[in-house]
Amino acid sequence: MSTTDGAAPGTRSPSSADEVRRVALSGYLGNTIENYDFSLYASAAAVVFGPLFFSNLSPALSTVASFATLAAGYVARPLGGIVLGYLGDRVGRKRVLLVTLIMMGVGSGLIGALPTYEQIGIAAPMLLVLFRLVQGIAVGGEWGGAALLAAEHAPPERRGFITAIGQAGLPSGGLLSR
Amino acid sequence: MAATLAAMLNEMFATEVRSTGVSVAYQAGALIAGFLPLTAGGLLAAAGGGGGGTNIGSVAVLVMVVSVLGAVAVWTGRESRGSDLREVGGEPGAGGQRPGR
């Protein structure tokens, strides 16, 4: 059994200090990147998504519709937690963490590349919601992957500190997105 | 709170179900949290529309209630600092979780 996939911590020897540092750093960066992308959507929803994707509505209504797409991401998070959390138990935490980071990158990139309502009509806001759901599923699976990798690699007496490094990534990502 | 949450959740579940347990617990909270801005906005609108003279007390009460719920949940939980993650759930009463096999 591989000692680096994190799928079966009960069967391997304790992680080296170097390994623990690497896992803590990857958890921190994972949380930073995911939360950056996920939060950045809020700023975009407040400023540009209304005019871009709901230009047929009044300004007030388009703002409400824009924020509804924001909420779709939060609705998708438990789905990501259930599906990707289960996969974390089946195929490994590390693999799930990697997949969620790629999912988030692809989802955010495609949102940035979307044509507007003026260009392709109703398909534009529908695709926006779809990619927001992808973002939500990714963020829903990523947190567990990062938290478990950190907790399972850390020596028991330092588990709180090591997992907290990953947790610090959440506000770091939020800060970067402002 | 966020600093200790990851360690605490991890110490509640046996290895075989840890990923599922931790992810579902945390993201279920996020689902509720996602609707709080909407709820708070609704409360403000009901209290006078969010202008200068609006009473924001209802939103403060909402935050207080949620905080108290969280405090009760943590208070009634078990201290698991320094525990061996491989043994979680292996003995009766440990976190309420049993290994799947």
Side-chain angles (χ1 to χ4, degrees), chain B:
Chain B
M1 187 207 78
T4 51
L5 182 63
M8 194 175 170
L9 281 179
N10 270 297
E11 288 163 356
M12 286 180 178
F13 297 95
T15 303
E16 291 84 348
V17 296
R18 186 171 300 127
S19 177
T20 310
V22 168
S23 290
V24 170
Y26 186 75
Q27 302 305 339
L31 176 65
I32 298 170
F35 285 97
L36 282 186
L38 190 66
T39 312
L43 285 172
L44 273 186
T54 305
N55 181 4
I56 61 168
S58 56
V59 178
V61 170
L62 174 68
V63 174
M64 282 160 63
V65 168
V66 174
S67 302
V68 167
L69 286 176
V72 169
V74 173
W75 187 263
T76 54
R78 194 175 56 96
E79 175 59 64
S80 51
R81 175 170 57 95
S83 58
D84 189 337
L85 286 181
R86 286 167 297 189
E87 288 171 3
V88 176
E91 56 204 21
Q97 291 292 328
R98 301 291 163 80
R101 50 204 134 105

Side-chain angles (χ1 to χ4, degrees), chain A residues 29-50:
Chain A
L29 291 176
N31 277 338
T32 302
I33 292 168
E34 293 279 311
N35 215 40
Y36 169 76
D37 281 29
F38 198 70
S39 309
L40 189 62
Y41 191 102
S43 309
V47 182
V48 294
F49 285 169

Side-chain angles (χ1 to χ4, degrees), chain A residues 99-119:
Chain A
V99 165
T100 57
L101 287 167
I102 294 168
M103 267 177 79
M104 181 57 98
V106 170
S108 303
L110 287 174
I111 287 173
L114 269 180
T116 64
Y117 179 80
E118 303 245 302
Q119 291 169 310

